[in-house]
Amino acid sequence: MSFELPKLQYSYNSLEPHIDARTMEIHHTKHHAGYTAKLNTAIADTPLNKHSIEEILSNLDMSNAAVRNNGGGFYNHCLFWQVMSPDANGLSGTLADAINRSFGSFDQFKAAFSTAAATQFGSGWAWLCAKKGGDLEVCSTPNQDNPLMPGVGCDGAPILGLDVWEHAYYLNYQNRRPDYINAFFSVIDWEVVAENFEAAV
Ligand code: MN3
């Protein structure tokens, strides 16, 4: 089995002005496509190619740099495209309750997530993760690591992820990562995040 680059459910320019079309196109057709191709090369003719990406990452030998970097890159970007939408739906229901329970308020969650994204040194990701009982946690990981991988210091399943590699924002925002993080909140599709939450708990 080999993994395929997913098609986006929206056009490259449809997240503007928050995320520009050229960044979206390069990010999807070059970066994500590259991780996908290199993951397939790394697992070809190994027992890993019989497993889902979640199974591969959850049981990963972290010394396997090719699968760690490219499997992480494949999975992380799949989640990233999925949680954004030009017709972003608002937050409500059990996920809204869980955010209030775990962080005190939506604003306190946003502050914690934004801090995690802004302070991840160099390249990496910020995450909102859900534990089995429904508790939520914010964390960040370097490079293409993610909370599914063993020993990365994040618990729970990732239900929302933000790419803070410079390739995700530099054309439009240059060094202004906090502005990009703030703009991300305008395109989060909370209906999709809520579906991820229900699946995780
Ligand atoms: Mn990226």
Side-chain angles (χ1 to χ4, degrees), residues 27 31 35 77 80 125 144 163 165 167-168:
H27 203 171
H31 293 276
Y35 296 123
H77 291 85
F80 185 51
W125 291 74
Q144 296 296 352
D163 189 342
W165 284 58
H167 69 228

Side-chain angles (χ1 to χ4, degrees), residues 38 80 132 164 172:
K38 288 176 186 164
F80 185 51
K132 280 287 177 209
V164 296
N172 199 29

Side-chain angles (χ1 to χ4, degrees), residues 11 18 22 44-45 49 146:
S11 59
H18 309 293
R22 185 161 160 75
D45 306 319
N49 72 10
N146 72 45

